[in-house]
Amino acid sequence: MLKATGIGIGAGATALATPTALATPADAAGAPLAHPGLLHTRADLDRMAAKVKAGARPYAAGFAKLTANRHAQSGWRPNPQAVVYRGSGTPENYRILYNDIHAAYQNALRYHVSGEEAHADTAVAILNAWSGKLTGLEGSADRFLAAGLYGYQFANAAELVRGHGDFDLGRAQELMRTVFHPLSDDFLTRHNGAVVTNYWPNWDLTAIACVLATGIFCDERAVVERAVEYFKHGDGMGSVKHAIPVVHEGGLGEWVEAGRDQGHALLGVGLMGTVCEMAWNQGIDLYGYDDSRFLKGAQYVAKWSLGGDVPYTANTRRKGAIGGWSGSETASGVAGVDPSMTRPIWAMIANHYTKRRGLPASYLTRAAAKAAPEGGGGDYGPDSGGFDQLGFGTLAFTRDRVEEAAGGAPSQSGPGPSGGSSAGGIRPQASASPAAGGDLAATGVGDRAGWAAAAGIGAVAGGLLMLRRRDRVSRREADQ
């Protein structure tokens, strides 16, 4: 049952050429890996800086959210540890690691937007301190989560400063190769000695994200291909057809972890989006793989999290250790939801499908509008769940629509057009929105309304940013 693909257009349809009117990733075959090329490309960083400088909505609101975060301050001082423990061990100190990584990422991102070199220097100091001291990750099975989550995040922060004169790139790459990556790769191979369905999708997805980030950051294409192959065909529950085992006739893709709880389902969608975005920036279209299967799954979780009704096919998964205790667990329906629960995951996914690709995805745009402006680590509580995503999607991933790009050309933020079919392919009619006549918010008009709502929220925060700037100017004039 976990391997069932359900109703929908199969992989055979993905060989169709991608229309030239849509943005496409670069052709990955034989090309050198692009840098910066994890969650943000050079074009992305330049867009953020230009939009914030112009006071454009909702970028200004997203930047205000970033500058208000305590992790984004240049006075942050790292506290590196030789061994990090999560789940068990003494001391259980993984919170120190994730706080420092988010401080490095936020300072690096702030530098690229504002040009203030003190923030780049702070990010470099944090990353160098950890690459010079961290030797291992230990603890319970949660050590695999630590490796996956903090590995992909460390690589993303480091990618933003890889050209800084004081950054020890070689040592950071060695840390990824010897500390983070081995645990993640081993999990995808052995699953901690458990039967392959013992762990829900988010476990696999943290590992896939770390393996992919390692391959890109360390310029190892074989490692990149390992992550891509697992995303498509892996035996664990985090591969796309196991995480989204059924595509329903209305176009929604059933997210298997919705039978567990809302928080972990949101985590899984955010991680899969992170994997797809990093791959896209290297010319690999996992967003469009298998007739945009991820779009359908993300729409499903967005609708459900907004309080909508979604179908769920009961499934039973095996649990336990290979050669040891075993059992099974059945999820018979979707878990309850709290519509106020959110994670900073929606802007990236919604902007890809509706702005880059020109596809309707109204539940995604509604979720993104509701969450805007998205924050990052430290804005969603002090516990680890609030640090699972790097966030700040309103600032980082808001894009112009493809039809609104200059000269009618597609809006391009990947490495460049490939001209021809992309890896995985995508068809413009592949939509996860229900047919017209159903929920009004599921029409193409709903996408525009959702983005307009996000821009309105941005206007408020943008105004706060302008007031903050004026206040700083006034204080400087008073000091003078």
Side-chain angles (χ1 to χ4, degrees), residues 230-305:
Y230 197 96
F231 176 94
K232 294 179 178 180
H233 306 298
D235 291 333
M237 294 186 71
S239 60
V240 66
K241 291 183 181 179
H242 292 164
I244 309 168
V246 179
V247 176
H248 293 279
E249 189 172 3
L252 294 178
E254 184 174 302
W255 191 267
V256 68
E257 208 156 357
R260 181 187 183 189
D261 61 60
Q262 183 184 7
H264 286 97
L266 292 173
L267 169 60
V269 169
L271 288 168
M272 189 170 285
T274 294
V275 169
C276 289
E277 185 68 18
M278 293 190 297
W280 173 275
N281 287 334
Q282 296 299 329
I284 304 164
D285 189 4
L286 298 183
Y287 277 120
Y289 178 72
D290 194 22
D291 197 38
S292 301
R293 195 178 192 93
F294 176 49
L295 166 62
K296 298 165 187 176
Q299 279 271 85
Y300 176 99
V301 174
K303 179 181 180 182
W304 169 59
S305 292

Side-chain angles (χ1 to χ4, degrees), residues 85-88 92 94 138-140 142-143 145-146 149-150 384:
Y85 299 90
R86 177 166 175 168
S88 65
E92 194 178 1
Y94 68 101
E138 298 182 12
S140 66
D142 282 7
R143 69 190 184 279
L145 295 177
L149 289 168
Y150 312 140
S384 60

Side-chain angles (χ1 to χ4, degrees), residues 8 32 82 190 222 396:
R190 298 179 179 84

Side-chain angles (χ1 to χ4, degrees), residues 313-350:
T313 305
N315 68 83
T316 300
R317 64 188 185 96
R318 290 182 60 223
K319 299 171 61 178
I322 296 175
W325 173 86
S326 64
S328 64
E329 181 179 65
T330 299
S332 57
V334 292
V337 297
D338 175 2
S340 68
M341 181 185 293
T342 189
R343 285 176 179 249
I345 64 174
W346 299 115
M348 177 175 65
I349 304 167

